[in-house]
Structures are given as C-alpha cells and as structure tokens.
Amino acid sequence: MIWKRSAVLRFYSVCGLLLQGSQGQFPLTQNVTVVEGGTAILTCRVDQNDNTSLQWSNPAQQTLYFDDKKALRDNRIELVRASWHELSISVSDVSLSDEGQYTCSLFTMPVKTSKAYLTVLGVPEKPQISGFSSPVMEGDLMQLTCKTSGSKPAADIRWFKNDKEIKDVKYLKEEDANRKTFTVSSTLDFRVDRSDDGVAVICRVDHESLNATPQVAMQVLEIHYTPSVKIIPSTPFPQEGQPLILTCESKGKPLPEPVLWTKDGGELPDPDRMVVSGRELNILFLNKTDNGTYRCEATNTIGQSSAEYVLIVHDVPNTLLPTTIIPSLTTATVTTTVAITTCPTTSATTSNIRDCRLYAVLLKLCTQWTLDDPNALAGQTGPDHALIGGIVAVVVFVTLCSIFLLGRYLARHKGTYLTNEAKGAEDAPDADTAIINAEGSQVNAEEKKEYFI
C-alpha cells in the first residue's frame, strides 16, 4: 500500500508539471481562401512546445496528418513542414467540396485546438452575348443578354459601349443545381441608329477569383441605313467660261449604287459638255444656260436619298486699268497736246492760209476738254467710268482731226506743185525748162500775194 501510495503521488506530480507547462502552449491558424482548382496551404504553429504532437483534420473530422505521418489516403494532400513548432500541409486541385472548417489539435492535457476555415471561390465561366441578329435596321430596338455561370459568390456584370459604361441594365442572379455556385445574367435594351454601325458592345464579368483580370464578351454591331447625300462644288463662286465639278458625297450601308444626276427634274441637257464620272458631274465650261437646280440621288437596298444644288453662273468681272483718284475739286481739266507742222508761208495761197488757220483753231478746240461740273469728282471713291470714257473719246477725236488736217495739207501742196509745173511747161521745150519757168512764175506769184489781217 505504501508503494501504491507513493506511485500515485508521483503520477499526480508528473501531471501537474505537464499542466503547468501546457499553460503557455496554444496552436495558431489562419483562414485560407483559394480559387477552385488551386492549392491551399494549411499552417498550424505553436510558439512553446515540449514535444507535444500536432494534428490536422478535415471538416468531416478525418485526420489528415498526425505530426509527419499521413493518416488519410488522398493524393492531393501533402506534407509541407513538420516540427514541434509547426505542422503545414497542402491540398492541391481544390474543389468546392473541400470548403469548410479544418482543425489543428495540440495534444496537451486537455487537448487544445484552433480552427481554420477554407473558402473555395467558384470561377465564373466565360460570358456569352445572345440576342443579336445581323444586320439590324436603323431605328430598331435591340435587346442583348450577357450570361455567365459557376461563380461563387455571384459575379458582377457590366456593359460598355464605345468605352462608355451603360448603367440602365437589368440584372438577374440564380443559384445553380449544386446549390453552391450562381448563374448571373444581364440584359441591355437600346434603339440603334447609324452611329452604332461598327461599334463594339462589351459585356464584362468582374469576380474576385479573376485576379483583377475580368472576362469579357464582345459583339460588333452592324447597322443598315439609308444613304446620306451631300453635294460639294469645286468652287464657291462659279463664273462664266470656267469649269465646275459637283461631287455627290453619299454614305450608306449597304454602299449606295452609282448616283443619278438630273437638272431641273430632267436629264442633263448637254451630255457632251456635262460629263458624269462616278459620283462627279464635270461641266467643262460654264455659260448662263447652265443656271438651274442640279439633283443627286443615291439608292441602296434600304432606301433612297437625294440632295440639290442651285447653280448660278456669275459674269466674269471686268478688269479696269489702274486710275489716279483726284481729290475733291470744283473743275478738272484734261488737255492733250499734239505736235503739228506750222502753216507754210512761202508757197501757200491766201486760201491755204485761211484753211490752215481754221484747222489750227479747230484743232485747239478739239484738244482741250474741260469739266465744268463742280461735282464731277467730288466724293468719288472708285474709278470714274465717265471720266475715262471722255478722255478716250477726246484722244480719238484729236487723232482723227490731226490725220484730216495733215491729209488736206499734203493734198494742197501736191496740187500747187503740179499747177506750177504745168504753167512752166506751156512755153518750155523740155522738162528742165518747164521747172525753171515754173520757179519764175512762183516768184512772180510771190510779188502778187495779198495779205489779209
């Protein structure tokens, strides 16, 4: 009895020591989140351990590892590190069924445990866009639906058009058959126009399992619409005698057929001078008969459109010589001087002298022009056409007068010469004697001259 009593006392003393040492021992774990198909690392640490065993067990309370010894036959579970202070294991190719609460146990008296929750994220499938039929007519209402399944938790869907997010959409979330993942869909409604042709509509799926790299689905829109037509002239101010090109700029989908040109509701009147090349109407040289309304029509399978251009052919502006503008004056005088031969004094008769003086007076009157109107030049800011015309008329008249006077003068001298030669030839046997006799008669005529003052 004495031995039994001493043995019991020894047992209780050992247990007391174990309890005293275990008060500073406690396992530490952390929750783990992993994407489905990934690898989870479960770690259990003990700061103070006196060679006490550690153990990992799954949510079904099945032992996975006891110290460094594998207890469950599962090839996905491997030992990472085993010591008195740490027990770490890995679970690869994690599935949704692996999610749950795992337990790390420290075999002290009593046993101490720590829980670690393993969260498995369900990766959403690549989204799909439905509801698009090509082509779409301008003005139609389009309804597009974007759908993705297998997300855990439920994924978020966003719509973009021309890189601009569309907020007014419908959102629907449904639980999958496994009751762990979700199927999410979103619907976009909008009315299309020609500006939507070629635009990319994007459905984007955001989820924490995608590591900030969202999944996207894209649909490029094809919109058919009637042509839009515009006429562009080659010059904004068409002038008579110049060429003109009218370009019919047409846009549409499908591409419009070759355009049709008409004038005033009928065919082009002069095909030889009005040449149609593709979408251009080329008028080789303009005249006033080309004035009118030109129409360009473009047609595709959706419809027809047209544009009109009213052509007004302008006169070619007259090019005037530069003139000097005279400041405001009461009287302006323009004088043209013409050098003429003075009247003869030796061989002319009295009648010749009278004609010469008369022509000189007439010439003086013709070559002088005076503007007596005091307002003729006052306030002028541009070329005076009347003044220019008057100057030109005076110059022409003076020239004609000079030619006329010179002709009369030459004609009279020629007559006098012939008359004197004839007078000398009456009594002369030859031409030399006749000329000498004529000179003598001329001397006598000088003596018989009368002067009138």
Side-chain angles (χ1 to χ4, degrees):
M1 291 293 296
I2 297 174
W3 176 83
K4 290 182 179 180
R5 185 176 180 181
S6 62
V8 171
L9 292 174
R10 186 179 302 170
F11 173 77
Y12 279 110
S13 63
V14 172
C15 288
L17 291 174
L18 291 173
L19 290 173
Q20 184 178 1
S22 65
Q23 289 180 354
Q25 297 176 350
F26 199 87
L28 301 175
T29 59
Q30 290 182 339
N31 295 332
V32 177
T33 299
V34 63
V35 176
E36 183 180 11
T39 299
I41 304 296
L42 300 175
T43 300
C44 180
R45 288 189 178 88
V46 180
D47 291 337
Q48 298 179 5
N49 190 2
D50 53 355
N51 301 332
T52 303
S53 297
L54 292 171
Q55 172 187 289
W56 272 110
S57 58
N58 62 13
Q61 296 303 315
Q62 296 173 321
T63 301
L64 303 179
Y65 264 89
F66 185 82
D67 288 337
D68 59 352
K69 298 178 178 60
K70 188 175 183 178
L72 185 66
R73 293 183 179 180
D74 189 339
N75 295 330
R76 299 180 305 129
I77 302 174
E78 298 291 341
L79 179 66
V80 176
R81 182 187 298 274
S83 67
W84 295 115
H85 298 282
E86 179 182 340
L87 178 61
S88 295
I89 62 174
S90 66
V91 182
S92 61
D93 194 17
V94 176
S95 64
L96 294 175
S97 60
D98 293 327
E99 186 176 75
Q101 187 170 272
Y102 289 74
T103 304
C104 175
S105 302
L106 177 64
F107 284 89
T108 58
M109 293 295 292
V111 177
K112 296 180 180 180
T113 61
S114 179
K115 306 293 183 179
Y117 196 90
L118 175 62
T119 301
V120 181
L121 301 177
V123 181
E125 297 177 357
K126 184 176 178 61
Q128 300 291 331
I129 296 179
S130 60
F132 178 77
S133 59
S134 179
V136 181
M137 302 303 169
E138 183 179 23
D140 287 353
L141 181 64
M142 178 175 289
Q143 185 177 82
L144 300 178
T145 300
C146 181
K147 186 176 182 180
T148 180
S149 301
S151 60
K152 177 181 175 297
D156 184 29
I157 294 180
R158 300 166 68 185
W159 288 95
F160 293 86
K161 175 184 173 185
N162 281 340
D163 297 329
K164 182 179 180 181
E165 185 174 1
I166 304 173
K167 297 291 187 179
D168 188 14
V169 296
K170 299 176 183 179
Y171 183 82
L172 179 62
K173 178 177 69 173
E174 297 177 344
E175 194 176 56
D176 294 334
N178 58 15
R179 309 189 70 84
K180 292 183 179 181
T181 58
F182 296 89
T183 295
V184 181
S185 62
S186 179
T187 302
L188 170 65
D189 296 328
F190 66 100
R191 194 170 299 277
V192 299
D193 57 32
R194 63 186 60 197
S195 64
D196 294 322
D197 183 50
V199 170
V201 177
I202 297 174
C203 164
R204 191 175 86 180
V205 176
D206 294 321
H207 194 262
E208 54 186 304
S209 65
L210 300 177
N211 296 324
T213 305
Q215 292 184 346
V216 297
M218 182 176 66
Q219 180 64 63
V220 179
L221 304 182
E222 181 181 0
I223 312 300
H224 283 193
Y225 53 94
T226 57
S228 60
V229 183
K230 181 172 62 174
I231 297 178
I232 304 175
S234 59
T235 175
F237 193 77
Q239 297 180 3
E240 191 171 8
Q242 294 182 348
L244 176 66
I245 298 177
L246 299 179
T247 302
C248 183
E249 186 180 89
S250 60
K251 298 179 181 179
K253 196 166 187 179
L255 189 66
E257 300 172 0
V259 298
L260 174 64
W261 284 98
T262 58
K263 179 190 176 187
D264 296 332
E267 296 182 356
L268 298 177
D270 192 351
D272 294 334
R273 194 168 49 87
M274 299 179 177
V275 181
V276 176
S277 176
R279 302 181 184 277
E280 293 182 351
L281 171 59
N282 189 353
I283 304 177
L284 301 182
F285 52 89
L286 295 171
N287 57 48
K288 291 300 181 66
T289 62
D290 296 329
N291 289 340
T293 301
Y294 291 80
R295 183 184 180 90
C296 168
E297 294 182 358
T299 305
N300 62 7
T301 56
I302 308 302
Q304 180 186 60
S305 295
S306 62
E308 292 183 346
Y309 174 78
V310 178
L311 173 61
I312 300 177
V313 180
H314 300 272
D315 294 329
V316 178
N318 294 326
T319 304
L320 299 178
L321 295 175
T323 58
T324 302
I325 300 176
I326 304 175
S328 299
L329 298 174
T330 57
T331 301
T333 302
V334 180
T335 303
T336 302
T337 303
V338 179
I340 62 173
T341 307
T342 58
C343 295
T345 57
T346 59
S347 61
T349 62
T350 302
S351 176
N352 290 342
I353 296 176
R354 290 178 179 176
D355 290 342
C356 186
R357 291 178 177 177
L358 177 60
Y359 295 152
V361 172
L362 179 61
L363 180 60
K364 183 176 182 180
L365 292 176
C366 291
T367 56
Q368 183 171 358
W369 178 68
T370 305
L371 295 176
D372 295 327
D373 184 4
N375 298 322
L377 296 175
Q380 290 187 356
T381 58
D384 190 338
H385 300 288
L387 177 60
I388 296 173
I391 293 174
V392 173
V394 168
V395 172
V396 172
F397 189 51
V398 169
T399 303
L400 293 177
C401 290
S402 301
I403 294 173
F404 177 74
L405 293 175
L406 183 60
R408 288 292 304 271
Y409 178 75
L410 294 176
R412 285 185 175 273
H413 276 281
K414 181 178 181 181
T416 302
Y417 173 77
L418 292 175
T419 302
N420 291 335
E421 184 179 1
K423 289 179 181 179
E426 292 177 355
D427 301 326
D430 52 23
D432 295 335
T433 306
I435 293 174
I436 295 173
N437 292 339
E439 291 178 354
S441 299
Q442 187 176 0
V443 174
N444 295 331
E446 290 280 346
E447 296 175 354
K448 297 179 180 180
K449 272 184 184 177
E450 295 182 2
Y451 296 91
F452 296 91
I453 299 176

